[in-house]
Amino acid sequence: MSSTNQGADFVVVANRLPVDLERLEDGTERWRHSPGGLVTALEPFLRSRHGAWVGWPGVADSDVAAFEEEGIMLHPVALSATDVRDYYEGFSNATLWPLYHDVVAPPVFERTWWDSYVKVNRRFADATAAIAAHGATVWVQDYQLQLVPAMLRDQRPDLRIGFFLHIPFPPVELFMQLPWRTEIIRGLLGADLVGFHLAGGAQNFLWLARRLVGLEPTRAAVGVRTRPGSVQFGNRRVRVGAFPISIDAGGIDALSRRKDVVNRAKQLRGDLGDPKQVLLGVDRLDYTKGIDVRLRALYELLVEGRVDPADVVMIQLATPSRERVEHYRQMRGSIEGQVGRINGEFGRVGYPVVHYLHQSVNREELVGFFSAADVMVVTPVRDGMNLVCKEYVASRHDLGGVLVLSEFAGAAAELTSALLVNPHDLDGVKNALLKALTMDPAEGHRRMRALRRQVLTHDVDRWARSFLAALNPTDQSDIPY
């Protein structure tokens, strides 16, 4: 796959470019690499194929020409401040996000937001149609762009179009609440392959294609990676499958072995006062992540005397997220209040029980945190996959550490040797934390060895190759195995 004068043969279409445009205080602008999981997953794979990426540069009302960055042609799509408010903060993140995450917060069904979503999706489709070579492969990403496959198909029937959803796909009963449910399903049916993390999401989609569009899907159960279902839509057969996303496991494993990272992990424990046990949470600050659940569990264990605050320290990294949305501001205040309560009641001068950092950290620093932590706590009430838990496992070449993982993270289907918990069951979370803190090292090593086998084998390259193999089943010449 290469980029030619006639257009790009391989195009990724995502809400954001793999670089962000920053406006500095002096009015100048600069580009910086985005830290998101999607970028981490796709950038190396795309670069090796000299492809193109269509996305928003991250700043409203910015009209930027296409440019090349490290072997990838980047094609910015401009969004106005109104587009950002209505399409992105509105329909994408106040309608679809809560609806797809089991209505953890009530979704808002605002008609003007939907109109903006349609308009912006068309803009992305137009930009992609203009740069894709004849017969190109186009891979559309995530919930912000669910109408793009059909819009692109209308303009460019010659293209091979894949779509992948990076968040959960909801149960049928919840999806049916959406006033524009049929339009979304028809939009996705424009793709040749629609991919989800889990087989359950694929099955839900096939059921909805029958219920809302009157199509007849295959009856066999959808399998992971190799057994997609399908549905006939006009003169095309749309395949629907499960492709659990992963990480650059080898890269993180190598990073964790570097001397400076090993030393940083030791320094972190020293900075914490060399406690007997370190708990770690790493999350984007979002109501789906269950940060409050683990803080409540730790608080009750301290109150009950089952955990000694002199022995156990927790680090919670909370990456800033959607700071302009009122719901997120309230959530941040609530979490910081919980942290203050724990430290106020159980901390000592110079020795807080919970170290809370509302900031982003770079990759090397993050792997240092993973290497320093005895217990990784991942308790989302709903999550598409959750790559943080896989990054933790990839960092533990020493076979140390215990993973406490929510059953409602997509990764739980693969990481079965973790201590799996129901985040709605507070006593269950407390008992799992206590078991993790007191686990026999031999059992911990056995569990971590099994987790690492899974994560290192099923890495991000395998995810991308398996999806593209299913998207182009008759043309494997440019997909290395």
Side-chain angles (χ1 to χ4, degrees):
M1 297 177 184
S2 61
S3 187
T4 69
N5 293 331
Q6 289 73 43
D9 290 327
F10 182 54
V11 185
V12 170
V13 188
N15 179 60
R16 294 291 283 270
L17 290 172
V19 292
D20 285 335
L21 183 62
E22 276 189 307
R23 284 195 179 135
L24 306 179
E25 291 181 4
D26 62 3
T28 60
E29 296 179 339
R30 70 178 181 190
W31 294 97
R32 65 176 175 83
H33 282 269
S34 306
L38 173 60
V39 177
T40 304
L42 285 182
E43 194 176 31
F45 194 85
L46 187 78
R47 186 181 295 115
S48 68
R49 286 152 181 78
H50 307 292
W53 190 305
V54 175
W56 175 46
V59 172
D61 299 306
S62 179
D63 191 9
V64 183
F67 62 99
E68 185 170 339
E69 175 80 11
E70 297 183 10
I72 305 172
M73 280 303 300
L74 302 182
H75 295 266
V77 174
L79 297 183
S80 68
T82 303
D83 293 332
V84 174
R85 183 192 69 200
D86 294 348
Y87 145 79
Y88 181 66
E89 294 174 351
F91 195 79
S92 294
N93 290 320
T95 303
L96 293 176
W97 180 268
L99 181 72
Y100 282 32
H101 286 85
D102 288 359
V103 193
V104 174
V108 180
F109 302 119
E110 171 58 58
R111 286 170 292 179
T112 58
W113 292 355
W114 166 253
D115 294 340
S116 180
Y117 187 80
V118 173
K119 181 182 73 172
V120 172
N121 270 245
R122 187 164 300 285
R123 197 177 305 156
F124 274 84
D126 291 345
T128 306
I131 66 154
H134 183 81
T137 293
V138 177
W139 195 354
V140 184
Q141 308 289 331
D142 224 1
Y143 64 105
Q144 303 96 341
L145 302 175
Q146 292 175 101
L147 303 180
V148 168
M151 292 173 170
L152 192 56
R153 174 77 54 196
D154 287 344
Q155 293 189 59
R156 296 288 305 275
D158 59 293
L159 298 176
R160 193 78 182 161
I161 303 170
F163 177 91
F164 187 79
L165 184 70
H166 291 261
I167 66 174
F169 192 71
V172 168
E173 296 82 1
L174 294 182
F175 187 86
M176 292 296 286
Q177 294 181 20
L178 187 66
W180 307 279
R181 58 200 187 186
T182 302
E183 291 91 327
I184 293 287
I185 297 301
R186 284 187 173 275
L188 293 172
L189 286 167
D192 296 289
L193 174 64
V194 184
F196 302 89
H197 287 305
L198 302 177
Q203 294 286 177
N204 290 348
F205 177 81
L206 288 169
W207 195 95
L208 287 160
R210 180 168 57 190
R211 169 79 180 267
L212 296 174
V213 190
L215 307 180
E216 194 56 44
T218 49
R219 297 191 176 277
V222 175
V224 175
R225 298 185 187 91
T226 56
R227 275 207 337 271
S230 66
V231 60
Q232 190 71 28
F233 187 46
N235 61 354
R236 295 186 302 113
R237 181 154 288 277
V238 179
R239 306 177 90 201
V240 181
F243 304 88
I245 196 171
S246 196
I247 60 169
D248 177 16
I252 291 178
D253 175 68
L255 188 58
S256 71
R257 297 170 188 268
R258 265 179 27 191
K259 189 173 182 181
D260 60 322
V261 174
V262 172
N263 290 338
R264 177 58 179 146
K266 291 177 182 174
Q267 182 190 351
L268 281 168
R269 292 190 71 102
D271 291 345
L272 295 170
D274 287 316
K276 290 183 180 177
Q277 302 275 2
V278 176
L279 299 167
L280 176 63
V282 177
D283 309 85
R284 195 166 50 76
L285 191 59
D286 189 278
Y287 53 77
T288 64
K289 299 300 184 181
I291 300 172
D292 58 330
V293 172
R294 72 193 67 144
L295 290 172
R296 200 175 308 129
L298 177 61
Y299 177 74
E300 290 195 8
L301 288 171
L302 290 163
V303 168
E304 294 163 7
R306 297 164 74 189
V307 166
D308 187 341
D311 293 341
V312 175
V313 166
M314 180 176 187
I315 304 170
Q316 176 61 56
L317 294 177
T319 305
S321 171
R322 299 169 191 162
E323 297 282 278
R324 289 168 45 177
V325 180
E326 179 60 27
H327 191 91
Y328 285 80
R329 286 200 292 266
Q330 293 174 359
M331 180 188 55
R332 176 182 174 184
S334 172
I335 287 170
E336 291 176 358
Q338 284 181 274
V339 171
R341 183 183 186 189
I342 293 171
N343 288 335
E345 292 186 28
F346 297 101
R348 295 170 291 147
V349 174
Y351 295 97
V353 179
V354 179
H355 295 253
Y356 172 80
L357 301 176
H358 182 245
Q359 57 194 247
S360 299
V361 299
N362 64 36
R363 197 165 180 243
E364 289 80 2
E365 183 80 347
L366 187 58
V367 173
F369 276 102
F370 289 146
S371 301
D374 300 288
V375 180
M376 183 80 208
V377 192
V378 182
T379 52
V381 291
R382 196 71 169 120
D383 215 336
M385 177 53 61
N386 192 289
L387 298 179
V388 165
C389 58
K390 294 188 175 186
E391 291 171 343
Y392 178 70
V393 169
S395 298
R396 299 314 299 242
H397 64 272
D398 60 349
L399 300 183
V402 180
L403 175 61
V404 176
L405 177 61
S406 166
E407 298 168 1
F408 301 112
E414 298 174 281
L415 304 185
T416 54
S417 293
L419 295 181
L420 299 179
V421 297
N422 175 0
H424 302 284
D425 174 11
L426 192 60
D427 286 334
V429 175
K430 288 161 61 180
N431 290 336
L433 286 179
L434 205 58
K435 180 174 180 179
L437 289 167
T438 58
M439 184 173 290
D440 177 71
E443 181 185 351
H445 289 170
R446 281 196 303 274
R447 288 176 177 270
M448 186 55 70
R449 187 177 288 109
L451 292 171
R452 283 178 59 79
R453 190 180 305 119
Q454 170 68 30
V455 170
L456 289 167
T457 302
H458 297 94
D459 64 359
V460 67
D461 189 59
R462 184 165 179 170
W463 166 74
R465 285 189 288 114
S466 65
F467 185 92
L468 289 174
L471 178 58
N472 295 288
T474 58
D475 178 16
Q476 303 298 301
S477 59
D478 52 2
I479 301 173
Y481 277 84

